[in-house]
């Protein structure tokens, strides 16, 4: 199935550092979402982006919806140990029968934070 | 906040047996639920869209006779892995869309191990 390409694949940083990861696609998406997944759990929504060019923040997290609608980035500032996890971008690829979201997920960025 | 619950959270079964996984929206109704499969260190791959009161829509390459989906009520979808084999061992995650708000919520996932 279709996937979005995320980079980097993994990152190992020191606590307090800023982090940036991005997601690209060959297709246009109308919605971009960023999720965090902890081991053995389902993904949890961090930020949702609905308009091209939109820049949205959620605490230490900032994400932008690319103008071309084919990319997005997520920044984490002043990282802390609990930021450890796998971060996935997701794009709305189309509508299910009832008109609700059908998502395509990125390949993931694994983040490790050293205290 | 809205919660989507999956049961069981983990299951071990013998090769050739069938396993049923439930996905429940606990405080909202969902006409549409989605089933994903996630292999270790990989992304979430959409398997099928579960529609209340009608047949599920399967993604390309997903065998509908092997992965039976039943969405019998507005709060419950089930995924049955029939004649499971070791290669079916994976983390199965569902998501549900709130019929009133359109928000999407993910379950905690169900880990299936087939011996």
């Amino acid at each position: 199935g279709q996937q979005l390409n995320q980079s980097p694949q993994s990152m190992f940083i020191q606590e307090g550092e800023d982090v940036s990861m991005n997601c690209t696609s060959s297709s246009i998406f109308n919605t971009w979402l960023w999720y965090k997944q902890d081991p053995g759990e389902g993904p949890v929504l961090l930020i949702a982006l609905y308009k091209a060019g939109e820049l949205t923040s959620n605490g230490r997290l900032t994400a932008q919806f690319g103008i071309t609608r084919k990319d997005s980035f997520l920044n984490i500032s002043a990282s802390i140990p609990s930021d450890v996890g796998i971060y996935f971008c997701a794009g709305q690829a189309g509508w299910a029968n009832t008109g609700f979201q059908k998502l395509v997920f990125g390949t993931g960025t694994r983040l490790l934070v050293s205290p | 906040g809205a919660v989507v619950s999956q049961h069981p959270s983990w299951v071990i079964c013998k090769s050739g047996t069938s396993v049923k996984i439930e996905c429940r929206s606990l405080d909202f109704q969902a006409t549409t639920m989605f089933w994903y499969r996630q292999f270790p260190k990989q992304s979430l791959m959409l398997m099928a869209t579960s529609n209340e009161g009608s047949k599920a829509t399967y993604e390309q390459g997903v065998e509908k006779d092997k992965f039976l989906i039943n969405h019998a009520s507005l709060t419950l979808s089930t995924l049955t892995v029939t004649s499971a084999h070791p290669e079916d061992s994976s983390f199965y995650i569902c998501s549900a869309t709130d019929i009133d708000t359109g928000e999407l919520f993910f379950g905690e996932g169900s880990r299936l191990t087939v011996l």
Side-chain angles (χ1 to χ4, degrees), chain A residues 2-75:
Chain A
Q2 184 182 8
Q3 276 193 331
L4 306 176
N5 295 313
Q6 272 183 254
S7 63
Q9 214 172 27
S10 62
M11 301 179 73
F12 183 42
I13 62 173
Q14 296 274 347
E15 183 177 1
E17 287 184 22
D18 297 342
V19 169
S20 184
M21 59 191 80
N22 74 296
C23 191
T24 59
S25 169
S26 57
S27 305
I28 289 176
F29 288 95
N30 294 324
T31 303
W32 284 85
L33 305 164
W34 284 92
Y35 288 89
K36 181 186 179 213
Q37 186 180 29
D38 291 328
E41 297 185 16
V44 174
L45 180 66
L46 299 174
I47 291 182
L49 303 160
Y50 300 105
K51 289 175 56 177
E54 179 181 353
L55 182 71
T56 297
S57 293
N58 178 10
R60 294 179 296 107
L61 307 178
T62 302
Q64 184 158 32
F65 190 156
I67 290 290
T68 64
R69 295 190 175 185
K70 292 184 178 181
D71 64 309
S72 176
F73 72 73
L74 174 70
N75 287 344

Side-chain angles (χ1 to χ4, degrees), chain A residues 1-3 33 35 37 40-45 86 88 96-98 100-108 110, chain B residues 31-32 34 36 38 41-46 49 51 57 59 91 93 97-99 102 104 106-109 111:
Chain A
Q2 184 182 8
Q3 276 193 331
L33 305 164
Y35 288 89
Q37 186 180 29
E41 297 185 16
V44 174
L45 180 66
I86 304 176
F88 290 102
N97 292 351
T98 52
F100 291 122
Q101 302 174 10
K102 181 175 170 180
L103 298 179
V104 174
F105 277 83
T107 46
R110 185 179 299 270
Chain B
T31 53
T32 302
F34 300 94
Y36 295 83
Q38 185 179 31
K41 297 188 178 181
Q42 293 189 27
S43 186
L44 286 74
M45 297 299 292
L46 180 64
T49 303
N51 304 300
T57 306
E59 295 299 300
F91 195 48
I93 305 172
T97 305
D98 187 323
I99 193 174
L104 183 73
F106 280 85
E108 321 97 319
R111 183 165 301 283

Side-chain angles (χ1 to χ4, degrees), chain A residues 97, chain B residues 33 35 47-59 64 67-71 77-78:
Chain A
N97 292 351
Chain B
M33 295 184 176
W35 286 97
M47 298 175 66
T49 303
S50 173
N51 304 300
E52 187 270 334
S54 64
K55 291 183 180 179
T57 306
Y58 290 82
E59 295 299 300
K64 62 180 181 180
F67 299 100
L68 302 179
I69 292 173
N70 186 359
H71 194 150
S77 174
T78 60

Side-chain angles (χ1 to χ4, degrees), chain B residues 78-115:
Chain B
T78 60
L79 169 68
T80 301
V81 183
T82 62
S83 187
H85 291 284
E87 57 265 31
D88 298 323
S89 299
S90 188
F91 195 48
Y92 291 86
I93 305 172
C94 73
S95 66
T97 305
D98 187 323
I99 193 174
D100 292 325
T101 66
E103 285 185 86
L104 183 73
F105 302 96
F106 280 85
E108 321 97 319
S110 299
R111 183 165 301 283
L112 170 63
T113 301
V114 185
L115 302 177

